[in-house]
Amino acid sequence: MNSKTNKQAASQQTNTQPENKASDKPILSAKVILTSGVAMLLSPGSTTTVGYEIGHEPEQTELLIRLTGSSGGGLCSKEWFGLAQVVDLLNEQQSDKAFTSGLFKVIWHFKGSSNNAGFLAAVLRHLELTKVAPEVRFGHLITGKHTEWFESLKAKLPKVSTTN
């Protein structure tokens, strides 16, 4: 005699899933990491760091960047985004006019973690693409190195064939 009730058996059948069931989520392609690092946050006296990676998808010519996390547990969005957008924002800045980390909020369409813009600003300072603006608290100035730096990274990308 079967000790399971009909109700238990029906419940067990509906909750059983095949082990290798395909997911509805899109498969994310692996990225080729060109460089990665850890930057100190910009708050005076802070010992907290934020990690970052710069890379691209195989056989693609778009450079990507992402924040990988904070040693202090601060939340950040870890999705990849175009590095060209960051360089474009830096290109719009005047070398003698300070700007704040809020400039970078547009990258995440003003959504996601409120830490994103400040964390990215810390990464850009670490990469020496920006420097402290002495007259503006938490202000930044461009160093003028961003275009050359971006071009040197693009030179590391694979050559995409235009023939079929």
Side-chain angles (χ1 to χ4, degrees):
M1 182 172 152
N2 189 348
S3 61
K4 291 184 183 178
T5 65
N6 289 341
K7 194 174 191 178
Q8 288 173 323
S11 174
Q12 185 177 12
Q13 284 179 346
T14 59
N15 291 334
T16 303
Q17 303 225 352
E19 288 182 30
N20 295 324
K21 183 179 177 188
S23 173
D24 292 336
K25 295 180 181 179
I27 297 173
L28 301 175
S29 61
K31 304 292 189 268
V32 176
I33 306 301
L34 298 174
T35 187
S36 62
V38 176
M40 293 293 294
L41 294 188
L42 302 177
S43 297
S46 175
T47 58
T48 303
T49 59
V50 61
Y52 65 92
E53 294 177 332
I54 298 172
H56 64 94
E57 291 185 10
E59 305 303 319
Q60 298 294 313
T61 59
E62 179 185 17
L63 286 166
L64 304 169
I65 185 171
R66 75 174 180 154
L67 303 170
T68 59
S70 166
S71 68
L75 296 176
C76 66
S77 301
K78 296 179 182 176
E79 72 269 3
W80 292 92
F81 56 93
L83 187 57
Q85 186 176 6
V86 176
V87 173
D88 288 346
L89 288 170
L90 293 176
N91 282 336
E92 294 172 1
Q93 306 312 304
Q94 296 176 21
S95 60
D96 61 342
K97 300 285 183 190
F99 60 94
T100 66
S101 303
L103 172 74
F104 304 116
K105 288 182 179 182
V106 298
I107 293 170
W108 294 273
H109 306 288
F110 297 94
K111 296 178 184 174
S113 172
S114 60
N115 296 328
N116 290 341
F119 285 177
L120 179 59
V123 168
L124 297 175
R125 182 87 53 89
H126 173 76
L127 293 169
E128 298 180 355
L129 304 179
T130 63
K131 60 185 178 182
V132 67
E135 303 293 319
V136 179
R137 183 178 167 104
F138 297 112
H140 316 283
L141 293 169
I142 59 171
T143 61
K145 299 177 183 179
H146 56 278
T147 302
E148 182 180 329
W149 173 81
F150 186 62
E151 292 301 321
S152 71
L153 280 175
K154 284 185 359 185
K156 295 179 181 181
L157 292 172
K159 305 297 182 227
V160 176
S161 174
T162 57
T163 60
N164 290 337

